[in-house]
Amino acid sequence: MVAELIMEASNILRKRVNDDTSIPHSGNMSQASAQSSNQAYFRSQEYYIHHESFKLFVGSWNVGGIRPPDNLNLDKLLNTEDTMADIYVLGFQEIVPLNAGNILATENSDVSVKWNSFIKAALNKRTPAEDTLQKTEIGESQRIYPLKTQSSTKSNATDYKCIISKQMVGIYITIWARTELHQYISNLGVSCVGCGILGRLGNKGSVSIRFCLHETSFCFVCSHLASGGKEGDERHRNADAAHILARTLFLPEPLQHLPRKILDHDRVIWLGDLNYRIHLPEDTTRSLVKNKEWSLLLENDQNSDDYYGSGQKIKVKRMRAPAWCDRIIWFGKGLKQIQYNRVESRLSDHRPVYARFTAYVEVSKLPGMQNSAMSS
């Protein structure tokens, strides 16, 4: 009953809030529910919804099936020398080679744990350590790390812990948050869509994760779309994107009116190896890059406004035209991109890309309640 009342109050508040102001107002419960003492309590209280800003880091990297070396340092990728973010979202593609054996086995915990150990070391400046994993069922098997509140941990305010990770063949997404934020993160969910062989296998496709931070829902889509640089190959990428939008579905939760489709969330970020190319001959493309003719390159980018929604030792040296295959795009109000860059790593034939955002989040509270930990 209490959960229903809280959700009802939250829905009323959400409808009344302005985008950029703090608004006090009283709950307005129906006559039918006036008998409940809990409802009387909520009706007598004055609620506030206001916006708080959080720093969000999103990175993507196609690592070409190369296992991370033991001396790998992710400081540059995570840009840890700059201002630290509140939440880190890292998406990888091809964390395992896309051979027949790996395609049929959707997860490889050994590889994913190793990647997480390096992320943990970079964020917390500690020696990498193998983390034990727990599995839970949220629609399908997923790798999830339990949330811990401030009262259950002695970590200091700069500690980061993984809240959820999920792998589908070579696609891997892992999300880390400041320890003091964990108590405000809820409704974690995951949805995988395979778009590869037979239109279903996971060598291509997406892994999407959603959660709520306070009263605002986030959805992160880590994807690897169809490859190929021939005429018409972009249609396969468009089809993959359409399938991901249509088939991604988060399971409903009891007494919760949560978004189930990607674009129904308040804040959406799509990251990954989208494989869109520049529709020009290779020599022309390289010449334009050399001369920094970015506008002409963008005019011939396959990722147009109509878009809806290797091993470590290369056996044959392939000359590919430069392209913006790896991208981070977003949808929804309340996101402000403050940085977009790439990292000059030579681990694979792809360069990591990352973006920093300021994310504005709706926070509801009663008078006298303390604010949550907020970025300065």
Side-chain angles (χ1 to χ4, degrees), residues 232-265:
D233 282 340
E234 69 272 16
R235 290 195 294 268
H236 299 297
R237 295 186 266 280
N238 292 343
D240 285 354
H243 284 306
I244 290 168
L245 286 168
R247 290 163 48 195
T248 298
L249 190 67
F250 298 98
L251 289 184
E253 297 192 17
L255 307 178
Q256 301 281 344
H257 300 286
L258 295 169
R260 300 188 65 193
K261 304 291 291 182
I262 292 172
L263 296 181
D264 291 337
H265 290 79

Side-chain angles (χ1 to χ4, degrees), residues 84-363:
M84 297 293 286
D86 298 301
I87 296 175
Y88 285 81
V89 180
L90 282 302
F92 298 88
Q93 303 81 46
E94 296 190 51
I95 67 166
V96 295
L98 300 183
N99 54 42
N102 287 328
I103 290 172
L104 296 176
T106 59
E107 296 193 27
N108 185 320
S109 61
D110 182 48
V111 176
S112 58
V113 165
K114 189 165 187 179
W115 277 109
N116 265 17
S117 70
F118 286 111
I119 296 168
K120 179 180 179 180
L123 292 179
N124 296 303
K125 299 300 182 184
R126 291 198 292 262
T127 302
E130 295 290 306
D131 293 305
T132 57
L133 303 177
Q134 294 184 0
K135 283 191 176 182
T136 187
E137 295 294 327
I138 300 183
E140 54 191 309
S141 176
Q142 66 171 306
R143 195 165 308 283
I144 183 168
Y145 296 72
L147 299 179
K148 293 183 180 180
T149 63
Q150 284 177 294
S151 61
S152 64
T153 181
K154 296 182 180 179
S155 299
N156 61 46
T158 61
D159 277 348
Y160 293 85
K161 293 188 178 181
C162 183
I163 60 172
I164 187 169
S165 296
K166 177 62 181 175
Q167 178 187 358
M168 181 185 73
V169 189
I171 302 171
Y172 181 58
I173 182 171
T174 179
I175 300 180
W176 297 67
R178 291 184 186 272
T179 302
E180 67 269 25
L181 285 183
H182 286 196
Q183 61 185 314
Y184 305 109
I185 298 172
S186 61
N187 303 308
L188 288 154
V190 64
S191 179
C192 298
V193 174
C195 300
I197 299 171
L198 302 177
R200 291 284 173 177
L201 294 187
N203 56 306
K204 294 293 190 292
S206 67
V207 179
S208 300
I209 287 178
R210 74 100 186 274
F211 62 81
C212 293
L213 176 58
H214 289 285
E215 313 300 326
T216 298
S217 61
F218 288 80
C219 183
F220 297 92
V221 184
C222 179
S223 67
H224 192 182
L225 305 186
S227 60
K230 302 188 300 295
E231 178 77 26
D233 282 340
E234 69 272 16
R235 290 195 294 268
H236 299 297
R237 295 186 266 280
N238 292 343
D240 285 354
H243 284 306
I244 290 168
L245 286 168
R247 290 163 48 195
T248 298
L249 190 67
F250 298 98
L251 289 184
E253 297 192 17
L255 307 178
Q256 301 281 344
H257 300 286
L258 295 169
R260 300 188 65 193
K261 304 291 291 182
I262 292 172
L263 296 181
D264 291 337
H265 290 79
D266 298 317
R267 317 281 185 261
V268 179
I269 296 182
W270 193 315
L271 58 142
D273 182 359
L274 308 188
N275 259 316
Y276 286 99
R277 314 299 173 92
I278 297 169
H279 192 57
L280 289 171
E282 179 186 331
D283 292 343
T284 303
T285 301
R286 291 185 180 277
S287 176
L288 291 172
V289 170
K290 183 178 180 180
N291 295 322
K292 299 183 179 181
E293 298 284 352
W294 310 125
S295 59
L296 290 175
L297 290 165
L298 283 169
E299 287 176 9
N300 292 276
D301 178 22
Q302 291 176 344
N303 194 190
S304 69
D305 291 338
D306 295 331
Y307 167 63
Y308 178 65
S310 90
Q312 196 160 4
K313 294 181 179 179
I314 303 173
K315 295 180 180 179
V316 178
K317 188 175 181 180
R318 294 174 295 173
M319 295 299 292
R320 291 181 176 179
W324 290 295
C325 290
D326 307 278
R327 311 192 188 196
I328 300 168
I329 58 179
W330 69 97
F331 169 84
K333 296 180 180 179
L335 287 172
K336 180 181 179 181
Q337 182 184 295
I338 57 177
Q339 188 179 16
Y340 193 88
N341 211 340
R342 78 174 192 178
V343 179
E344 298 303 321
S345 171
R346 301 285 176 173
L347 183 68
S348 76
D349 60 343
H350 289 252
R351 303 293 178 265
V353 295
Y354 68 86
R356 286 180 173 272
F357 298 89
T358 298
Y360 296 93
V361 170
E362 291 182 357
V363 179

